[in-house]
Amino acid sequence: MSILRTVVRGVGSYLPAEILTNADLVKIVDTSDEWIVERTGIHARHRAAPGEYTSDLAVHAGRAALEHAGVDPSDIDLVVVATATPDHTFPSTATEVQARLGIQHGFAYDIQAVCSGFVYALATVDAQLKAGMARRALVIGAETFSRILDWTDRTTCVLFGDGAGAVVVEAVESDGLVTDRGILASSLRSDGRHRDKLWVDGGPSTTQTAGHLRMEGKEVFKHAVTNLADVIEVLFAETGLTGADIDWFVPHQANRRIIDATGRKLGISPDKVVMTVQDHGNTSAASIPLALDVAVKDGRVKRGDMVMLEAMGGGFTWGAVLLRW
Ligand code: UT7
């Protein structure tokens, strides 16, 4: 029987020009290259220029994905931007991107699930395409976390970076086999009891300011590996696949130690893990599509490969998407 599958047609990304190395950060806060590399695996991150906004990053990444897909903006009827750092409180960054790409039909909205945003967006768009609400979507993760960092707090300011990544996805007829291309399964979770462990201390309704990121790093770390492994096991149970069936593991890039531990727990061999945290830092909702773009463009991720995406972030939110590239 024929069903609808959400297939990735193209991928693209954008990183702002300025690179901040660990050596640059040593001049700003009491830290060291050794501490940052040992605890996180991060060597460098990018930072948006003054006047360069989340929507600018998103438009660059979106255009790159459309070009890679060979799809004209006029063929997109849904634009979703996953971001926790929108240009404005409203309207959504997605409507800004929609206008700048010259798309005058369909609909656009933002998704706010912090670092899990891209996984949330992809799973939600998958459901909407299958329900027939749209045919072809541009799904973007874009962040300017440099704008909400407290640059005097060494426990957070060394961890994050700015950037954007995007995919073009399309609903196609499929026999629904595990060998067919597209999103096979996804699972989303949240547990708001942990909302104060990774949060921003401002907002329109509370302080009328954007606020700064605050994190109990150890607490986040403690939950991350367990939560991520649990949600991936759900997808394995649903599809009958195991870690040995995964060609590429493309996790949210927060910390090398979390990525290594999750891969080990799931039986995914280290040479199948896409790692970009060393060059990008944690770019929140942008990290997965940025990593995907790197691994597709350097020839690692190829058509027909089985790819597992996963992320965890503030809320807590977490989730995973399993797809045949
Ligand atoms: O994307 C959303 C999800 N976010 C995450 O996944 C982040 C999860 N958490 C982590 O990645 C880790 O917890 C961190 C990298 C944030 C911290 O690593 P840790 O091994 O948990 O270190 P810690 O927080 O226990 O800090 C150890 C020590 C402390 O000093 P004392 O109290 O032992 O004297 C910190 O003050 O390291 C100190 N420290 C630093 N030292 C140099 C904290 N930040 C720094 C720093 N440079 N930047």
Side-chain angles (χ1 to χ4, degrees):
M1 196 187 70
S2 184
I3 60 160
L4 283 180
R5 269 266 173 92
T6 301
V7 169
V8 178
R9 285 275 173 244
V11 59
S13 67
Y14 174 79
L15 288 160
E18 188 193 7
I19 296 173
L20 272 181
T21 64
N22 293 347
D24 294 326
L25 291 176
V26 167
K27 296 175 201 151
I28 302 173
V29 284
D30 179 17
T31 189
S32 67
D33 179 53
E34 296 72 31
W35 190 96
I36 300 171
V37 172
E38 190 196 311
R39 304 288 176 127
T40 72
I42 300 168
H43 290 266
R45 70 290 289 146
H46 291 246
R47 183 163 64 175
E52 189 176 37
Y53 304 136
T54 294
S55 63
D56 297 312
L57 277 50
V59 166
H60 281 300
R63 282 211 176 100
L66 287 165
E67 222 164 88
H68 185 237
V71 166
D72 194 80
S74 62
D75 292 325
I76 295 291
D77 51 7
L78 170 57
V79 178
V80 177
V81 176
T83 187
T85 46
D87 289 13
H88 301 103
T89 301
F90 75 82
S92 66
T93 302
T95 52
E96 176 78 27
V97 171
Q98 184 193 29
R100 286 176 50 192
L101 292 175
I103 303 169
Q104 293 175 16
H105 59 278
F107 61 113
Y109 62 90
D110 284 0
I111 277 196
Q112 214 299 38
V114 208
C115 298
S116 312
F118 186 75
V119 163
Y120 266 59
L122 207 51
T124 305
V125 165
D126 177 39
Q128 291 185 321
L129 294 192
K130 284 177 178 159
M133 292 176 72
R135 247 329 288 265
R136 212 173 276 115
L138 181 60
V139 185
I140 304 173
E143 303 278 18
T144 47
F145 261 47
S146 64
R147 305 270 155 71
I148 55 162
L149 293 175
D150 174 352
W151 288 96
T152 65
D153 176 10
R154 69 174 182 173
T155 68
T156 53
C157 76
V158 304
L159 304 173
F160 295 90
D162 299 340
V167 293
V168 174
V169 292
E170 185 179 42
V172 299
E173 297 280 333
S174 157
D175 292 328
L177 302 173
V178 81
T179 47
D180 289 343
R181 295 186 72 197
I183 295 177
L184 272 68
S186 56
S187 182
L188 301 180
R189 286 296 322 279
S190 66
D191 185 346
R193 287 175 299 175
H194 302 290
R195 65 195 179 283
D196 60 352
K197 296 196 174 77
L198 173 47
W199 67 299
V200 167
D201 63 5
S205 181
T206 50
T207 59
Q208 296 84 55
T209 63
H212 292 110
L213 182 148
R214 307 291 173 203
M215 175 165 72
E216 292 177 35
K218 250 192 178 14
E219 281 296 309
V220 181
F221 199 109
K222 213 170 71 191
H223 286 85
V225 178
T226 313
N227 286 349
L228 291 168
D230 283 354
V231 81
I232 291 169
E233 294 289 2
V234 167
L235 301 191
F236 284 160
E238 206 175 300
T239 56
L241 300 175
T242 70
D245 298 307
I246 301 303
D247 294 305
W248 294 107
F249 182 48
V250 189
H252 167 51
Q253 308 283 321
N255 184 312
R256 172 180 274 276
R257 289 185 295 151
I258 295 175
I259 296 172
D260 287 343
T262 311
R264 258 196 316 273
K265 195 161 181 196
L266 294 162
I268 297 170
S269 124
D271 58 335
K272 293 179 172 179
V273 178
V274 176
M275 192 87 73
T276 52
V277 70
Q278 67 281 0
D279 302 321
H280 301 167
N282 180 347
T283 57
S284 183
S287 93
I288 291 175
L290 266 164
L292 261 178
D293 193 38
V294 168
V296 168
K297 303 289 164 67
D298 70 16
R300 275 180 290 174
V301 173
K302 291 183 286 297
R303 195 178 172 133
D305 282 351
M306 188 65 82
V307 179
M308 178 70 82
L309 316 177
E310 56 86 332
M312 164 160 166
F316 292 144
T317 55
W318 65 102
V321 173
L322 179 66
L323 71 154
R324 177 81 65 189
W325 195 256

